Amino acid sequence: MAWRRGVRESLLHVDSSLPRCPAWRLTSSASHHRTIQAVPREASGGRAAAKERAQGRVPSVVVSLSGSAKLPQEAPRQLLSTDAKQIKEILKQSPYFCTTPIKLQVRAGVRSSAVLQSGTVLPIKISRNKETGEILNLRMAWAEKGKEIPVKVPLEFKGEDSCIGLKKGGYLHKVRRNLKYECPLEHIPQKIDVDISNLDIGDKIFAHDLQVDSSLKLLSNKITVPLCEIKAPKPEANSDE
């Protein structure tokens, strides 16, 4: 019938004036958060960054640690722009974002399907607005297989429910929240568990007490400083009668 043919034709017609979906949205929901989509960014500085954020973008940088540059601040960098909504979704999917290698695709434009560069990166740092939590900047490093990368690995303290010293009224004093290691890409730990279940009052745990892969090289200084300690209960203040 004519009316059915008209409906069919209208469904097949795509209005070119409508905004196109970002390239990362065209991928399946199971895989889009595994690849960061970026485009080149020419301008840097505060004004340019503010303009990017106003457009729903995150001013981003990817550095290359190949050659003589071993630290991110010494490495040559590429200015990129990433989609703020996608980065937020990735963060929801990956609580250990800065210790998880992820794919990066650099496209010719926001709506372009042409890929200029692709590879694996390690997110190094996310800067946020302290008041609003808005993502301000994203810093990443190209991560080549077999290449050793400096990584800040978060520490997670476990066993508080069964800790001997805590049951006696002591309290956990956390001295360090992370440790810096030089890690091969294939052995980057998302986190390091610190088991305190057997600690008594006065006991401490140091970096050398942790069990990590033998390929990891500790870069953090002050290794004689403990990661944590079970402190004795604080004396109660005497109240005047």
Side-chain angles (χ1 to χ4, degrees):
M1 296 176 68
W3 67 271
R4 288 184 178 176
R5 186 166 56 251
V7 171
R8 182 182 175 188
E9 289 175 355
S10 65
L11 290 174
L12 293 174
H13 174 70
V14 178
D15 189 348
S16 60
S17 65
L18 294 175
R20 294 180 61 187
C21 183
W24 65 272
R25 281 290 193 186
L26 300 178
T27 59
S28 66
S29 59
S31 62
H32 77 72
H33 64 272
R34 300 191 186 119
T35 303
I36 295 176
Q37 300 293 342
V39 296
R41 174 170 59 98
E42 294 182 2
S44 60
R47 288 186 178 181
K51 185 177 180 180
E52 286 279 324
R53 298 183 193 110
Q55 296 174 346
R57 311 290 299 175
V58 177
S60 306
V61 171
V62 61
V63 299
S64 177
L65 299 179
S66 59
S68 59
K70 292 187 176 181
L71 298 176
Q73 59 267 31
E74 300 173 350
R77 62 177 189 163
Q78 292 174 252
L79 299 179
L80 300 175
S81 172
T82 54
D83 186 277
K85 289 183 179 180
Q86 192 206 14
I87 299 302
K88 288 178 183 177
E89 289 194 24
I90 293 175
L91 289 171
K92 290 179 182 178
Q93 297 285 341
S94 179
Y96 303 105
F97 181 60
C98 286
T99 50
T100 304
I102 189 170
K103 296 294 183 182
L104 171 69
Q105 282 189 346
V106 182
R107 295 177 180 265
V110 174
R111 296 180 179 86
S112 174
S113 60
V115 177
L116 302 178
Q117 193 174 7
S118 65
T120 301
V121 296
L122 180 71
I124 298 174
K125 184 178 181 181
I126 298 178
S127 300
R128 293 179 180 268
N129 184 303
K130 293 182 180 179
E131 296 181 356
T132 65
E134 176 192 9
I135 300 174
L136 300 177
N137 303 95
L138 171 61
R139 192 174 183 86
M140 304 169 283
W142 290 111
E144 302 171 9
K145 190 173 181 180
K147 180 72 177 179
E148 295 182 340
I149 306 170
V151 183
K152 275 189 177 181
V153 184
L155 302 177
E156 284 204 1
F157 297 88
K158 304 288 187 180
E160 294 186 41
D161 293 342
S162 56
C163 178
I164 299 171
L166 296 184
K167 288 183 177 180
K168 293 180 179 180
Y171 67 95
L172 174 62
H173 175 52
K174 299 176 183 178
V175 181
R176 307 192 76 152
R177 303 282 179 169
N178 56 65
L179 286 173
K180 193 171 186 178
Y181 288 90
E182 192 173 67
C183 315
L185 174 63
E186 56 271 24
H187 293 302
I188 296 176
Q190 290 187 326
K191 62 184 177 67
I192 297 176
D193 290 333
V194 182
D195 185 6
I196 67 166
S197 57
N198 293 322
L199 297 189
D200 205 340
I201 291 176
D203 288 345
K204 305 173 184 178
I205 294 181
F206 295 86
H208 60 74
D209 296 321
L210 302 177
Q211 294 184 351
V212 298
D213 191 272
S214 59
S215 63
L216 272 60
K217 179 182 177 182
L218 183 64
L219 297 179
S220 296
N221 53 13
K222 299 181 180 179
I223 59 174
T224 57
V225 176
L227 307 179
C228 67
E229 179 181 1
I230 303 298
K231 295 273 193 176
K234 294 180 180 180
E236 296 182 2
N238 294 325
S239 58
D240 295 331
E241 297 181 357

